[in-house]
């Protein structure tokens, strides 16, 4: 690799998406499934500023994995919220129980919706373990 080629490669990751004088490839409007940074398309690849590089096929797979992790994280947090609300409801006086029961019911409704979404997107079949 000559110096000019090395400079072009390094500048892709440390500076603007292209070296000075090169036509800048545009933002794709997508984010990196690994780090969340913006993706640029260059030479048929999607590359973020950190250096993660994705083909179209690997990007689809990585996004599916990231989505599944996010859904599991949401399920985990919502389950914790229900447990906390249930504890508060058991220890609360009569005046605040109604609000806690309503909040717990809303949280369970959201939790059920996310579990349904996981099933429809292929994430609820036990493929990955919950976080």
């Amino acid at each position: 690799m000559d110096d000019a080629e090395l400079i072009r490669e390094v500048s892709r990751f440390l500076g603007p998406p292209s070296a000075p004088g090169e036509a800048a490839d545009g933002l794709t409007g997508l984010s990196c499934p690994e780090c969340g940074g913006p993706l640029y398309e260059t030479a048929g690849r999607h590359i973020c500023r950190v250096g993660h590089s994705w083909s179209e096929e690997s990007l689809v797979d990585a996004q599916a994995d990231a989505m599944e992790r996010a859904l599991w994280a949401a399920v985990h947090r919502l389950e914790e919220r229900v447990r906390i609300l249930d504890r508060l409801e058991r220890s609360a006086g009569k005046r605040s129980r109604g609000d806690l029961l309503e909040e717990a019911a809303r949280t369970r409704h959201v939790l059920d919706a996310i579990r349904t979404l996981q099933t429809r997107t292929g994430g609820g079949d036990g493929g990955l373990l919950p976080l």
Side-chain angles (χ1 to χ4, degrees), residues 57-116:
E57 294 80 16
S58 66
L59 182 59
V60 168
D61 291 341
Q63 285 178 333
D65 290 344
M67 181 185 63
E68 186 170 350
R69 286 191 307 273
L71 290 172
W72 276 118
V75 165
H76 177 70
R77 293 290 173 240
L78 288 164
E79 286 174 341
E80 283 185 342
R81 183 167 179 76
V82 167
R83 286 194 301 272
I84 291 168
L85 289 167
D86 285 346
R87 284 184 186 181
L88 286 171
E89 186 270 325
R90 284 192 300 270
S91 64
K94 288 183 180 180
R95 62 188 169 119
S96 61
R97 286 184 72 183
D99 290 341
L100 292 170
L101 288 172
E102 286 178 26
E103 181 63 24
R106 282 193 300 270
T107 302
R108 283 185 183 94
H109 179 72
V110 170
L111 181 57
D112 289 342
I114 290 177
R115 285 184 174 144
T116 299

Side-chain angles (χ1 to χ4, degrees), residues 24-28 39-41:
D25 290 327
L27 285 168
T28 62
L39 289 176
Y40 296 83
E41 188 168 5

Side-chain angles (χ1 to χ4, degrees), residues 11-18 27 32 35 37-40 47-52:
S11 70
R12 283 187 181 159
F13 302 113
L14 299 180
S18 61
L27 285 168
C32 177
C35 67
L39 289 176
Y40 296 83
I47 301 172
C48 72
R49 291 192 182 271
V50 174
H52 300 120

